[in-house]
Amino acid sequence: MENKKVKVVLELDRECIQSSLFLMGEKLSDEIWEKLTSEDVALSPDDFGEQKTQMQVAFSCLAIAKVMDK
């Protein structure tokens, strides 16, 4: 079996990022927004910490459901 991987792409708008930062007690600066939008932000399972398995399963289920709905 080939060692291919599934790539999941998710776009977040400024309002979502701003709301997330607000919940973190931070404000969205132009500098942070520019950094976030200047290039793709790649996440790996290791970025999920203790929720690694749960996050992998959640994204897997969403990807499978999206493909099966086509």
Side-chain angles (χ1 to χ4, degrees):
M1 185 183 289
E2 292 182 48
N3 192 17
K4 291 184 177 183
K5 296 191 179 191
V6 175
K7 182 177 181 178
V8 177
V9 178
L10 172 67
E11 292 185 355
L12 304 168
D13 62 17
R14 187 179 181 109
E15 186 176 310
C16 181
I17 296 295
Q18 192 166 8
S19 297
S20 299
L21 282 166
F22 175 78
L23 292 173
M24 296 166 63
E26 302 288 336
K27 290 189 177 188
L28 178 58
S29 67
D30 290 338
E31 180 183 351
I32 294 295
W33 182 246
E34 183 60 34
K35 284 181 180 180
L36 286 167
T37 58
S38 65
E39 60 185 60
D40 290 344
V41 178
L43 300 175
S44 77
D46 294 331
D47 295 325
F48 301 135
E50 293 180 10
Q51 287 79 34
K52 177 180 176 177
T53 301
Q54 293 89 332
M55 294 297 290
Q56 285 179 291
V57 170
F59 281 114
S60 296
C61 290
L62 288 169
I64 292 164
K66 184 75 173 183
V67 169
M68 292 182 80
D69 283 346
K70 287 186 176 183

